[in-house]
Amino acid sequence: MKYTLDDFQEWLILIDFKMNYFTKEFAEEQKLTLDYSSRSLDELECWILTNFDDHKKLIADSKLLDYMTIYVGETFRRYIGGKWFIDLKNKRNAYYSMPVLTDPSYRGEVYKAPMTFVTACISRKKGNYISWILNNCIKSQNI
């Protein structure tokens, strides 16, 4: 989904509401433990791999992708900090119009793009791709 500034502001406001649903009702229905731990990222990724064989199918379910993007991003924030940001000015930015995490303390890649982690895990088929990224971020930040 491409966002406008108003869309993004509304999206930020709804994060808590969406995560309340995703970590409770959705998690219970799907028998997942979504507690913002690194281990929960592996559990979620295994669920994704079981339910999606193609990233295009997940992208087509924009609501579910949104929940997963927020969950992964909020999990990363608990470990490495950062704030949600959206670049609506630089169309050459690979993450143009996509919610990302950023922080002046980030070393290396200044944007962490949870949506791309969620969709890319399908083709990687590792089961721990997202937590592997998180662990690399933790190491690079010396946390």
Side-chain angles (χ1 to χ4, degrees):
M1 173 179 180
K2 298 284 185 191
Y3 291 89
T4 65
L5 187 56
D6 288 341
D7 293 334
F8 182 65
Q9 293 300 325
E10 182 179 341
W11 184 84
L12 289 172
I13 291 167
L14 293 174
I15 285 176
D16 288 340
F17 172 78
K18 289 177 181 180
M19 288 303 90
N20 188 48
Y21 162 75
F22 192 68
T23 61
K24 291 183 175 67
E25 291 176 49
F26 178 84
E28 186 176 312
E29 290 168 9
Q30 301 303 319
K31 298 181 178 28
L32 296 169
T33 302
L34 300 178
D35 60 2
Y36 301 100
S37 67
S38 178
R39 182 178 302 175
S40 74
L41 293 176
D42 293 343
E43 191 172 336
L44 178 61
E45 184 169 332
C46 288
W47 184 90
I48 293 168
L49 293 173
T50 300
N51 290 279
F52 294 92
D53 59 356
D54 185 321
H55 71 278
K56 292 176 186 172
K57 292 177 183 175
L58 178 54
I59 291 169
D61 191 341
S62 60
K63 188 173 183 177
L64 181 58
L65 179 57
D66 184 51
Y67 286 126
M68 291 181 185
T69 297
I70 296 169
Y71 180 77
V72 169
E74 289 297 299
T75 302
F76 272 58
R77 280 176 16 98
R78 289 174 188 232
Y79 284 90
I80 63 169
K83 293 186 179 185
W84 287 104
F85 171 76
I86 193 165
D87 182 354
L88 297 172
K89 294 179 183 176
N90 181 4
K91 291 184 179 183
R92 291 184 165 175
N93 182 341
Y95 306 115
Y96 173 76
S97 188
M98 179 189 300
V100 296
L101 294 174
T102 191
D103 192 84
S105 70
Y106 287 177
R107 295 181 183 164
E109 178 65 44
V110 297
Y111 299 121
K112 311 302 180 206
M115 184 181 296
T116 64
F117 306 157
V118 171
T119 57
C121 81
I122 296 170
S123 62
R124 301 306 191 277
K125 297 184 184 338
K126 290 177 65 170
N128 67 345
Y129 175 72
I130 300 169
S131 67
W132 176 78
I133 295 171
L134 174 60
N135 288 327
N136 285 334
C137 290
I138 291 169
K139 286 177 190 168
S140 72
Q141 301 303 106
N142 294 322
I143 298 173

